[in-house]
Amino acid sequence: MRKLSLFLLLLFILANASAQKATDYRKQQNYKDWVHIAPKFDDDFFKTEEAQRIGDNVLLYQQTTGGWPKNIYMPAELTEQEYNAALKAKENTNQSTIDNNATTTEIEYLSRLYLATQKEKYKEGVLNGIQYLLKSQYENGGWPQFYPRPKGYYVQITYNDNAMVRVMNQLRNIYEKKAPYTFLPDNICEQARNAFNKGIECILKTQVRQNGELTVWCAQHDRVTLEPCKARAYELPSLSGQESDNIVLLLMSLPHPSADVVKSIEGAIKWFQKSAIKGIQKEYFTNSDGKKDYRMVPCEDCPTLWARFYELETNLPFFCDRDGIKKYDISEIGHERRNGYSWYNKDGSKVLKRYEKWKKEQNK
């Protein structure tokens, strides 16, 4: 069974590798491989020595804050130099983050490893990780992208890339004692419940009104004023057609929604309905420089789209290059940002579909 589990691990890690080229999974790989494969390991894998070797790497990279830095490929075998660098970096607390699935992924991995091994060091790592999530929450209920980083857009309340919602979903699994969090003491579960509830309050308080009507959310909100705010140069204050979808799905997952939660959902759904973009799709081509590119072209019977950013005042979709200047056509920004960022998405359809079911449930 252990050999089978290890074989499955190798298949996960090598899935994206070329069939003609052998890859040693213990060498450094793209960090995304770690956050994608870690949740897919089966329970038997965590009984292997290999799982513990990786778990020890996870503990090595855990910072003194209890959180983890992002973009680390945990399964890699480390040279002495890499090991010493990771050991030294434990004190670099500015790198602790919930961005790019960091910290939540490691908490889940160590929880599963503890259940399989009953080794206290893994349980301690989990508890320290959870305390990091609890300490990093603002009094208003929001979470910053990095903590305790003192300045920059990292300190703002971060919905971007599902950061805050992912933390809240994990905290809910913790206080409901869903696997693999069945071993956690009641006081930790109660703290997780309180933090989750404060997160819901923050979501309700940060929902943007447009002409007096509830709409959706910005990717970042000011940690003090709660107003939409800027992050990177091309991420201007806006209504987000991408980050808002998982927020609404989270609200619709609440078993007994309050009147305020219901109003929030209804307002967001109206926004998704009116902000849908129909009749266009991507068409890929090779540009004059020989690079892969795309343009938006008319289409029939194609999936509904939503833009990533809509203006706060006009609700017009806009796009932005690294110069921070708004454009209203995707063709007006440069190749690098057009192809290096997600400007359109289809996830609003998932929200509207779930809403139909949710509405029937509420009517009952």
Side-chain angles (χ1 to χ4, degrees):
M1 183 63 74
R2 287 187 177 186
K3 289 184 178 180
L4 176 60
S5 296
L6 186 54
F7 175 70
L8 292 174
L9 165 65
L10 294 175
L11 285 181
F12 279 130
I13 295 177
L14 302 179
N16 296 324
S18 168
Q20 290 78 31
K21 183 178 179 181
T23 302
D24 182 352
Y25 84 95
R26 295 189 179 199
K27 291 183 179 179
Q28 293 289 355
Q29 308 290 332
N30 190 303
Y31 75 92
K32 292 181 180 179
D33 291 340
W34 162 246
V35 297
H36 288 161
I37 66 173
K40 297 178 182 178
F41 295 146
D42 64 24
D43 290 339
D44 286 329
F45 169 72
F46 288 92
K47 301 173 184 176
T48 67
E49 292 182 3
E50 181 64 6
Q52 293 186 55
R53 183 190 69 80
I54 296 173
D56 290 343
N57 276 359
V58 172
L59 291 178
L60 171 65
Y61 283 106
Q62 187 172 27
Q63 298 188 306
T64 55
T65 59
W68 278 266
K70 65 179 181 178
N71 303 353
I72 304 293
Y73 180 71
M74 298 292 177
E77 284 190 322
L78 304 177
T79 64
E80 182 178 357
Q81 183 179 6
E82 288 170 334
Y83 178 88
N84 289 333
L87 198 61
K88 184 178 180 180
K90 292 175 81 71
E91 300 291 338
N92 187 5
T93 58
N94 278 349
Q95 297 305 311
S96 299
T97 183
I98 59 172
D99 193 30
N100 287 4
N101 291 41
T103 299
T104 50
T105 298
E106 287 73 38
I107 290 173
E108 181 178 341
Y109 184 91
L110 291 179
S111 295
R112 298 184 70 188
L113 190 55
Y114 173 72
L115 285 181
T117 66
Q118 294 297 300
K119 290 191 175 182
E120 286 297 313
K121 63 180 179 179
Y122 301 129
K123 181 179 180 179
E124 184 179 350
V126 172
L127 293 174
N128 288 337
I130 294 172
Q131 286 303 314
Y132 171 78
L133 296 181
L134 297 174
K135 286 185 298 183
S136 61
Q137 185 180 29
Y138 292 134
E139 188 58 36
N140 59 31
W143 272 272
Q145 186 180 128
F146 283 78
Y147 175 85
R149 209 165 192 170
K151 60 183 179 180
Y153 70 85
Y154 317 100
V155 305
Q156 307 299 6
I157 295 169
T158 303
Y159 297 124
N160 193 38
D161 290 338
N162 203 32
M164 180 165 151
V165 170
R166 188 171 55 253
V167 168
M168 291 179 64
N169 280 326
Q170 184 171 63
L171 290 174
R172 178 163 57 177
N173 288 339
I174 287 170
Y175 75 71
E176 291 180 348
K177 290 202 171 185
K178 291 184 177 178
Y181 308 112
T182 53
F183 62 92
L184 293 170
D186 290 342
N187 68 312
I188 295 296
C189 295
E190 189 59 28
Q191 291 177 56
R193 183 190 298 274
N194 292 336
F196 178 88
N197 290 338
K198 284 174 64 176
I200 294 296
E201 292 174 8
C202 180
I203 286 173
L204 297 180
K205 288 184 289 188
T206 52
Q207 189 170 12
V208 180
R209 288 184 180 271
Q210 194 176 69
N211 299 321
E213 294 188 1
L214 288 171
T215 59
V216 287
W217 294 263
C218 185
Q220 303 80 211
H221 285 255
D222 188 277
R223 61 177 172 169
V224 177
T225 68
L226 305 185
E227 293 297 320
C229 63
K230 177 182 176 181
R232 289 171 288 191
Y234 50 90
E235 295 171 326
L236 304 179
S238 65
L239 297 175
S240 174
Q242 181 150 323
E243 274 66 33
S244 297
D245 49 17
N246 282 318
I247 298 175
V248 183
L249 291 174
L250 174 65
L251 293 176
M252 287 192 288
S253 73
L254 299 177
H256 304 291
S258 66
D260 287 339
V261 168
V262 171
K263 289 178 184 178
S264 174
I265 293 169
E266 295 289 1
I269 291 299
K270 287 181 181 178
W271 182 89
F272 271 102
Q273 290 170 336
K274 80 172 185 178
S275 302
I277 301 170
K278 300 180 179 181
I280 61 171
Q281 65 182 1
K282 287 183 180 181
E283 179 183 76
Y284 288 95
F285 66 99
T286 301
N287 67 18
S288 58
D289 295 324
K291 296 179 180 179
K292 184 179 180 179
D293 203 345
Y294 73 87
R295 54 195 160 216
M296 305 304 294
V297 298
C299 61
E300 295 181 6
D301 298 324
C302 51
T304 301
L305 298 176
W306 282 263
R308 184 156 194 159
F309 300 138
Y310 292 76
E311 283 190 326
L312 291 167
E313 300 81 11
T314 67
N315 212 51
L316 284 173
F318 71 89
F319 314 91
C320 210
D321 228 321
R322 292 186 183 275
D323 58 9
I325 300 174
K326 287 183 186 179
K327 304 292 183 181
Y328 298 95
D329 192 303
I330 192 74
S331 65
E332 295 179 353
I333 65 173
H335 176 274
E336 185 269 335
R337 273 303 79 194
R338 181 165 54 251
N339 291 272
Y341 199 61
S342 174
W343 294 104
Y344 289 100
N345 73 91
K346 305 172 186 176
D347 292 340
S349 295
K350 180 171 57 176
V351 174
L352 296 179
K353 184 177 180 180
R354 176 67 183 93
Y355 173 73
E356 293 178 8
K357 183 179 179 181
W358 178 84
K359 193 67 174 176
K360 291 178 182 177
E361 294 169 350
Q362 298 308 304
N363 290 335
K364 289 180 180 179

